[in-house]
Amino acid sequence: MSRTRTPVVTGWFAGEGDDFRLLGTRCSACTSVFFPREDAFCRNPGCPGGELVEVPLSPRGRVWSYTDSRYRPPSPYVTDPELSWEPYTLIAVELESERIVVLGQAAPGITVADLTVGMEVVVVPGVLNEDAETTWTTWHWQPTGVAA
Amino acid sequence: MTGEVAVLGVGMHPWGKWGRGFVEYGVTAARTALADAGIDWRDIGSIVGADTVRGGYPGYVAGATFAKALGWQGARVASVYAACASGAQALNTARAQILAGLADVVLVVGADAAPKGFFRPAGGDRPDDPDWLRFRVLGATNPTYFGLYARRRMALYADTLEDFAQVKVKNAALGALNPHARYRKKVTAEEVAGSAVVADPLRLLDICATSDGGAAVVLSSMDFARRHGAAGPVRIRAVSTVTPSYPNTVLDLPDIATDSAAAVRPADGTFRASIARAAYEEAGIGPEDLSLAEVYDLSTALELQWYEDLGLCGEGEAVKLLREGATSLGGRIPVNVSGGLASFGEAVPAQAIAQVCELTWQLRGSAGDRQVAGARVGITANQGLFGHGSSVVAVR
Ligand SMILES: [Zn+2]
């Protein structure tokens, strides 16, 4: 039986391959950008409030910092308790034009030893976990090979 | 400048893993604080509880829970929650009531019975809750955020793992002198280096545990203190409970991203620095006036960050301050002479109150082997997730 591919959160990212993007919203009045997306109200206290329009975020950014998770996180993170725990890497990435830092898991196989602060990374589609019916999709950060 | 309130009494239930309920820890701390103040519980006009989210409904209405356990006597009640900053909110609520003339003498209590392992979000599917999302989407536990901050300091300021370990060595040695601390033995840099990595680059001994504990403070008006015969009590001169300014550009728990600074220029200085600045302004003092500081060392690297956010040194200079011994007992500005979270572990709603207990003992000159000589002015600093500042200035 084939699984349905479903984003772990609706509306946070879209696209395939090179066209994959994180999706935020931008205020039409003050141009503030929000990720995770704000759809009801602009959070800039100096803004009278504008229409919030979906906008793709820059796919490339630079590593602000990074770490990993050497122990199994608690629920609602989904893991298979039957399998031994494989640490994964977390990267906080600064997007230059949006001037925002976005956290994400690194692509599988990337460890902290592969990273430095300032290194360029690109957002790529990834899989968070699978259950009987569903492949839950997410975003990953992948180094581009461009150094700090 | 805001008016002062007197600290008439303080009390704590020792931190640990005792396996009992939070109410028992809170009541023990409350009774100790009342005895220290020489006040009968029936003479307390108001009780403020710092809530715990881990004790079921009684935890959400902690003020009433403690009042009932102490014996209903009709006092005004309030219960407040602000994550790690809950204790400061409780103290500030009590202070506001006193300064507004709503109560003469107020009991503030916070206590927690901590779970084993990582803090985790409440159950159920809640895709609108950032705390639920960070676990579901990223598995981002609290230590992973501490790891991000630590790695950032290493990249920006060339802090080293050995520097981080020295914070633990300092705090463990002080905690060994504190009968209320959970961990009461010295730790070596080798032991820190030899402990398991939890969230690179931080190891188990770089990160604070979660603990059971309770702390309580009796506050009163200065007039009441005089009538009560308290000569020269410790006074609370400032309580900072500020929120961040948009755009908040430092990634904070439990957020997945910062605010964007593309449209609005960020304020000078970070949110954490603004917490201390508000406390200094309200107290009419500066960092140069401090005798000691109690800061929230959720990790060793975060203690260093607080040195800079409190203005004890310039940006990037925290390690220099540490290496000089300035923040050790006997140094220019001792930090976490209680032993800090490194020696206590975190009992969330009690912790900011416990910081004020330590300031009180230090300012009274009754801190025993860990006494800061001639302590006159102390500050606490702390930050509750979801944007809660917490800082208290006490003087004598
Ligand atoms: Zn706007």
Side-chain angles (χ1 to χ4, degrees), chain B:
Chain B
M1 204 163 83
T2 317
E4 296 178 337
V5 296
V7 181
L8 288 188
V10 293
M12 287 168 65
H13 182 290
W15 263 228
K17 284 272 181 175
W18 308 109
R20 299 195 299 276
F22 79 96
V23 183
E24 184 175 331
Y25 310 138
V27 170
T28 300
R31 288 181 180 278
T32 308
L34 289 163
D36 186 44
I39 300 273
D40 189 300
W41 155 240
R42 288 166 298 184
D43 295 328
I44 292 286
S46 170
I47 180 169
V48 185
D51 291 347
T52 170
V53 295
R54 279 172 286 279
Y57 216 132
Y60 301 132
V61 292
T65 299
F66 295 132
K68 182 181 180 187
L70 287 160
W72 293 123
Q73 46 84 315
R76 182 191 291 270
V77 67
S79 302
V80 299
Y81 188 72
C84 307
S86 299
Q89 297 259 332
L91 288 161
N92 196 45
T93 301
R95 179 179 77 138
Q97 291 179 352
I98 292 166
L99 294 177
L102 297 174
D104 275 337
V105 55
V106 185
L107 175 64
V108 177
V109 192
D112 206 6
K116 189 172 159 36
F118 294 121
F119 281 148
R120 64 185 66 199
D125 272 11
R126 290 190 320 285
D128 294 334
D129 173 355
D131 197 47
W132 184 87
L133 282 169
R134 59 136 166 172
F135 280 99
R136 172 66 185 103
V137 178
L138 301 171
T141 58
N142 292 1
T144 62
Y145 286 81
F146 310 153
L148 291 170
Y149 304 144
R151 175 60 64 184
R152 178 80 180 164
R153 287 195 63 86
M154 293 171 78
L156 253 54
Y157 310 129
D159 290 7
T160 66
L161 296 178
E162 291 72 27
D163 296 324
F164 298 155
Q166 285 305 321
V167 175
K168 176 71 175 186
V169 170
K170 171 182 75 73
N171 289 349
L174 289 161
L177 305 173
N178 190 341
H180 295 105
R182 173 177 172 190
Y183 302 103
R184 298 203 52 205
K185 73 182 192 44
K186 293 187 176 189
V187 170
T188 65
E190 292 70 32
E191 286 171 314
V192 180
S195 64
V197 176
V198 174
D200 178 90
L202 297 177
R203 297 173 180 278
L204 189 62
L205 293 181
D206 284 302
I207 295 170
C208 92
T210 59
S211 293
D212 299 351
V217 171
V218 177
L219 298 181
S220 80
S221 66
M222 294 306 296
D223 275 349
F224 182 96
R226 261 188 297 278
R227 291 200 303 276
H228 185 63
V234 170
R235 289 117 58 203
I236 288 182
R237 185 172 275 183
V239 183
S240 164
T241 56
V242 294
T243 50
S245 294
Y246 181 87
N248 188 7
T249 57
V250 179
L251 190 67
D252 268 345
L253 282 83
D255 293 336
I256 286 173
T258 63
D259 291 337
S260 160
V264 180
R265 204 173 72 86
D268 288 338
T270 61
F271 171 46
R272 267 194 301 271
S274 77
I275 296 169
R277 191 167 60 236
Y280 288 138
E281 282 175 10
E282 188 171 290
I285 65 160
E288 66 282 359
D289 299 311
L290 296 175
S291 312
L292 75 153
E294 286 284 310
V295 306
Y296 227 62
D297 56 321
L298 292 165
S299 79
T300 49
L302 268 173
E303 173 167 320
L304 297 173
Q305 187 66 46
W306 279 117
Y307 295 178
E308 297 166 17
D309 295 333
L310 287 179
L312 307 182
C313 61
E315 187 187 333
E317 294 174 354
V319 160
K320 181 166 170 285
L321 202 67
L322 176 79
R323 287 182 186 160
E324 289 169 358
T327 58
S328 301
L329 189 60
R332 175 167 67 76
I333 171 65
V335 177
N336 283 339
V337 284
S338 66
L341 294 177
S343 303
F344 276 76
E346 189 184 19
V348 175
Q351 211 69 43
I353 301 170
Q355 289 181 316
V356 172
C357 292
E358 180 67 13
L359 289 193
T360 301
W361 287 316
Q362 291 287 343
L363 295 171
R364 286 176 177 174
S366 64
D369 292 340
R370 59 181 201 286
Q371 180 66 46
V372 175
R376 305 289 300 179
V377 182
I379 193 168
T380 72
N382 165 12
Q383 177 187 2
L385 79 177
F386 287 97
H388 290 98
S390 158
S391 177
V392 175
V393 174
V395 300
R396 189 158 186 223

Side-chain angles (χ1 to χ4, degrees), chain A residues 58-65 91-103 117-121 141, chain B residues 152 156 249 258-259 261:
Chain A
S58 305
R60 283 162 195 266
R62 299 223 169 242
V63 173
W64 183 83
S65 192
I91 313 181
V93 177
E94 191 161 22
L95 306 180
E96 190 179 356
S97 68
E98 291 87 355
R99 297 193 63 193
I100 190 172
V101 174
V102 179
L103 200 50
V117 169
M119 178 184 274
E120 189 185 72
V121 293
W141 294 113
Chain B
R152 178 80 180 164
L156 253 54
T249 57
T258 63
D259 291 337

Side-chain angles (χ1 to χ4, degrees), chain A residues 42-66:
Chain A
C42 174
R43 290 194 287 104
N44 171 6
C47 175
E51 191 189 349
L52 291 157
V53 182
E54 185 172 284
V55 59
L57 302 188
S58 305
R60 283 162 195 266
R62 299 223 169 242
V63 173
W64 183 83
S65 192
Y66 55 93

